[in-house]
Amino acid sequence: MDNPRQKGVFDHLMMLERKEAAILQRHQNERLEELRTTAATLRAKKDRIRVETSAIKNLKAQMDKGLPLDDDETAHFVKLEPYLLMSRRMQLRDLQTAHRLIAGYDLFESKQGKSVCVSFHTAFEGVCLETYNMEMDLNRMVQISRHNIPPCIPLEKLAKENLQTDFKGFLQTLDLHLNALAGRKQQITLVKELVGTVEIIEKNQLCNFLALVCKAPADTDEDVLCTLEYGDLTRCLPTHVAIDGENKTLIASPQWKEHQVLLMETPVHSALLTMRKLGSIS
Amino acid sequence: MEEKYEEEIQRLQQEIETCEAEREECLRAISSQHGETLQRILKTISVQKDREDGVINQAVSKLMTEISDLEKDHRRQTDISGISLSECCLKTLEKSNTKTIQQYRLTGRCWLLSFQVEFALTEIQDGETILKKVTDFNIISDGAEFKDLCGFLSSAEESKSVFLFFRTLRSFSERCKQRTCTYQHFKEKYPDVVQLPEGCRSEIMVIQSPQLPGCTMSIFWNITVSKEGTVKPKIDLLMKMPEQAQKLDTESVVESAPGCFQSLLTAFGVEATIESLIQSVCF
């Protein structure tokens, strides 16, 4: 009853199955082999680091006791040398990291010294925000070739003022502008979190104009409109604050006069929080 | 079998990480506790290497190149930022896959103003983004100039504004430097007329002609720093004259002097204004 063709198909299928199993087996073997090599490499690495660590510990103990290390050029000292160098490298790397962090901007040479890249790190109240980069060609004249500074920053004006004459001054002023912008932006983000207390009804790209409606406390129904103008683009605080509302006696009250001063002197989100605590807004 | 290897790999990776952290801490401890010894030994190593002709261990020579590159970079950073860091003590307080807390203790100078700050930086990995923020900030500083910064320092500490602190310190120190240089310049140019009773770094400069012992003009050059870190100089003139001379002052010159001084400042700048004041008493 064997149908040769049928047999052929079964055979073929069986062959295919066997083939697949073999491939699978091979893959598995390969993967196992790979894992074994990785594990072996890691084991070796671990042992090496362990040996190094204990050697460094010994070195430190020796230094703690004040024992001389370099009184003779023994093989022992030659072994210690790399660790001392590593310690110095560690120290310098930490300094570099710290310096990058606190300086606000950093500079790198590129294209074999033909151009420099500057990156500006912005932050507000300890929170790190955007980083901006700028590449400058150093021909006879310093020229900005590429950058991702927001268009609302008066970069051209700042460059005209002191890019050629006072490079460090230029970097510092630009850094001030970028940080002020980042600070104003961040304040808006933080104000948005005060849901139910205030509503932002108008703002702009440069974040130098902000109109807010402060919700009145639950028992009253008198919302107050605050408009903040940031006339100095190097600052995070407004130069003009206006308070308006339907109830003129309320906005002329000493309490709201104080709030106006508060809004001038403290970042807007913290001023609003204080006002909420005092019960002026809901 | 596969699982066994995977487990081992994971365990090894963790062990390596712990071991590396331990090694880093130990290397840091050597450089921070034995800084001077380390410097001395490194100097002798580099001298020895210079003498020997090229028979250096490859690993050592690679480390030496790395160190010299880092040193060069350190000088460049100092030059461009105006902040000179002399010591950095870094400690990892917490480390996990998503969160790292590192504590920094930095000592350094900005022009002549020395500072020491301590802060903790928390990094939280949230998907693709990394949130970095300062979670603790302390400023330990001394020096006469810092008394003008008091209000700002406490508000910076409170709002954890490490970066604002350094930005402000930089512009503040530049103003201080300008004041000191100006005062020194006049002291050298007119040693008989100009006095700096509290030294060249203080805010007071006194102009007094030897021919007119009773008359003094004191310049108070204060550098104010607002809570938000805006640095502004404020220069005032204070005149002092004996009573007899005041009686002769029919056009009330003494009274109007501070006002005139301010107009001169806006019109000609600090140096030209002080110069003209000195000229007025040097016949």
Side-chain angles (χ1 to χ4, degrees):
Chain A
M1 283 294 286
D2 277 351
N3 184 333
R5 266 186 82 172
Q6 222 173 22
K7 191 187 168 204
V9 168
F10 280 131
D11 272 355
H12 193 68
L13 281 175
M14 221 144 79
M15 191 191 73
L16 281 177
E17 246 171 46
R18 249 186 252 128
K19 223 184 206 171
E20 199 183 277
I23 289 173
L24 256 169
Q25 185 64 43
R26 206 170 66 221
H27 274 218
Q28 208 165 12
N29 286 347
E30 273 173 15
R31 166 127 179 89
L32 220 54
E33 186 57 32
E34 210 176 282
L35 284 174
R36 207 172 50 207
T37 336
T38 317
T41 325
L42 285 176
R43 223 175 288 133
K45 190 178 171 187
K46 188 200 77 183
D47 291 341
R48 186 170 51 80
I49 294 175
R50 256 222 187 122
V51 171
E52 258 182 39
T53 310
S54 73
I56 294 168
K57 269 189 187 159
N58 283 340
L59 171 66
K60 190 184 167 282
Q62 208 174 335
M63 288 176 97
D64 284 347
K65 281 186 210 141
L67 297 176
L69 304 169
D70 54 345
D71 48 352
D72 57 350
E73 291 174 27
T74 53
H76 175 63
F77 179 62
V78 173
K79 258 193 217 158
L80 293 179
E81 237 177 33
Y83 302 135
L84 291 165
L85 291 170
M86 274 183 202
S87 170
R88 173 69 178 151
R89 184 180 62 182
M90 193 77 213
Q91 190 185 27
L92 285 164
R93 274 187 187 161
D94 283 352
L95 274 174
Q96 191 183 45
T97 318
H99 211 130
R100 266 197 200 138
L101 198 65
I102 60 163
Y105 51 84
D106 203 9
L107 207 136
F108 311 91
E109 273 185 16
S110 64
K111 294 183 190 161
Q112 289 95 42
K114 276 184 202 151
S115 77
V116 284
C117 293
V118 189
S119 47
F120 296 90
H121 311 287
T122 63
F124 180 70
E125 294 192 339
V127 178
C128 295
L129 303 165
E130 290 92 347
T131 297
Y132 299 102
N133 300 297
M134 193 161 83
E135 191 185 40
M136 281 172 284
D137 286 334
L138 303 172
N139 298 320
R140 261 179 310 151
M141 296 255 284
V142 186
Q143 257 178 341
I144 300 170
S145 50
R146 282 190 301 173
H147 68 83
N148 65 347
I149 311 274
C152 56
I153 297 280
L155 184 61
E156 249 174 72
K157 188 177 143 262
L158 297 178
K160 215 179 235 171
E161 273 167 15
N162 55 11
L163 179 57
Q164 308 302 333
T165 49
D166 177 11
F167 186 61
K168 274 189 222 171
F170 168 72
L171 294 181
Q172 279 175 24
T173 325
L174 185 54
D175 185 46
L176 211 59
H177 273 266
L178 289 170
N179 271 288
L181 174 69
R184 295 194 301 268
K185 229 188 204 170
Q186 178 73 356
Q187 286 178 57
I188 294 180
T189 314
L190 294 168
V191 167
K192 279 186 190 155
E193 287 173 11
L194 301 172
V195 187
T197 301
V198 281
E199 191 190 337
I200 297 171
I201 51 168
E202 210 184 324
K203 61 176 172 123
N204 60 357
Q205 207 190 7
L206 195 48
C207 302
N208 65 344
F209 179 82
L210 189 63
L212 314 158
V213 173
C214 299
K215 302 275 187 241
D219 50 336
T220 59
D221 192 23
E222 285 149 345
D223 292 350
V224 176
L225 174 75
C226 302
T227 40
L228 288 81
E229 281 171 45
Y230 299 79
D232 186 347
L233 292 180
T234 61
R235 291 178 54 196
C236 290
L237 292 181
T239 45
H240 183 74
V241 173
I243 310 274
D244 204 1
E246 277 178 22
N247 186 343
K248 300 294 171 200
T249 38
L250 177 73
I251 55 168
S253 68
Q255 192 186 16
W256 273 95
K257 289 283 166 233
E258 272 171 36
H259 293 342
Q260 191 176 8
V261 176
L262 190 68
L263 283 165
M264 288 284 285
E265 289 175 353
T266 39
V268 55
H269 63 286
S270 38
L272 290 167
L273 274 175
T274 312
M275 283 153 68
R276 189 164 75 176
K277 231 177 257 169
L278 292 171
S280 300
I281 50 179
S282 69
Chain B
M1 199 62 183
E2 205 175 308
E3 272 169 33
K4 207 190 105 206
Y5 276 132
E6 272 167 1
E7 267 169 31
E8 197 196 349
I9 288 173
Q10 212 172 12
R11 205 192 63 232
L12 281 169
Q13 270 165 343
Q14 264 170 10
E15 275 179 25
I16 287 174
E17 219 166 88
T18 330
C19 222
E20 269 178 342
E22 205 180 342
R23 184 177 62 169
E24 276 186 10
E25 287 309 307
C26 211
L27 287 173
R28 282 194 180 112
I30 290 177
S31 62
S32 68
Q33 288 166 23
H34 306 285
E36 277 172 36
T37 323
L38 183 64
Q39 285 288 358
R40 190 171 47 79
I41 298 171
L42 291 177
K43 212 173 254 173
T44 47
I45 294 179
S46 75
V47 169
Q48 274 168 17
K49 298 296 170 212
D50 283 344
R51 256 184 292 153
E52 286 167 31
D53 311 306
V55 268
I56 318 169
N57 179 336
Q58 212 182 353
V60 169
S61 105
K62 195 174 153 239
L63 277 166
M64 302 250 301
T65 327
E66 267 182 73
I67 288 174
S68 99
D69 284 350
L70 281 163
E71 277 170 345
K72 206 174 116 197
D73 197 61
H74 183 57
R75 282 194 293 275
R76 185 190 55 77
Q77 277 184 323
T78 306
D79 178 52
I80 200 77
S81 71
I83 300 169
S84 147
L85 277 182
S86 55
E87 229 175 278
C88 165
C89 184
L90 212 158
K91 233 193 219 152
T92 308
L93 300 180
E94 195 185 315
K95 194 176 168 140
S96 70
N97 286 338
T98 51
K99 193 175 171 189
T100 317
I101 305 179
Q102 283 192 307
Q103 192 189 38
Y104 287 81
R105 200 175 70 227
L106 307 177
T107 315
R109 265 185 315 110
C110 190
W111 179 59
L112 294 173
L113 311 180
S114 28
F115 62 81
Q116 194 181 1
V117 298
E118 245 176 30
F119 60 90
L121 188 75
T122 307
E123 281 183 53
I124 298 166
Q125 179 110 32
D126 181 17
E128 296 242 313
T129 54
I130 297 173
L131 178 74
K132 254 203 263 185
K133 66 176 181 184
V134 176
T135 38
D136 193 19
F137 182 33
N138 282 305
I139 306 166
I140 312 138
S141 55
D142 48 14
E145 280 95 346
F146 277 102
K147 74 177 193 297
D148 299 326
L149 279 165
C150 266
F152 166 71
L153 293 184
S154 53
S155 107
E157 275 184 339
E158 203 184 321
S159 59
K160 321 232 184 304
S161 307
V162 174
F163 314 102
L164 174 69
F165 166 74
F166 282 105
R167 224 169 30 242
T168 305
L169 184 66
R170 185 156 57 202
S171 48
F172 179 72
S173 74
E174 261 160 33
R175 295 287 188 178
C176 288
K177 189 176 169 185
Q178 187 197 4
R179 178 177 69 188
T180 302
C181 290
T182 312
Y183 278 3
Q184 269 176 331
H185 161 78
F186 285 117
K187 178 73 195 160
E188 277 161 28
K189 198 170 171 189
Y190 305 101
D192 303 331
V193 182
V194 171
Q195 285 160 28
L196 301 172
E198 287 172 31
C200 60
R201 278 171 67 183
S202 96
E203 68 265 29
I204 311 168
M205 181 175 112
V206 180
I207 302 168
Q208 186 178 36
S209 162
Q211 280 101 22
L212 299 165
C215 306
T216 55
M217 290 191 276
S218 308
I219 293 168
F220 290 87
W221 185 337
N222 288 302
I223 300 159
T224 61
V225 181
S226 74
K227 273 192 178 178
E228 57 157 335
T230 312
V231 182
K232 268 198 193 113
K234 191 174 166 291
I235 311 174
D236 288 311
L237 175 71
L238 187 80
M239 298 269 281
K240 227 166 101 184
M241 260 194 196
E243 265 183 48
Q244 281 167 298
Q246 272 178 25
K247 275 177 198 158
L248 297 170
D249 182 18
T250 48
E251 287 173 37
S252 50
V253 174
V254 176
E255 214 176 292
S256 59
C260 298
F261 178 72
Q262 293 303 326
S263 331
L264 276 176
L265 275 178
T266 35
F268 300 109
V270 190
E271 281 196 34
T273 307
I274 297 180
E275 180 83 45
S276 70
L277 276 185
I278 297 171
Q279 291 292 338
S280 72
V281 296
C282 302
F283 307 109

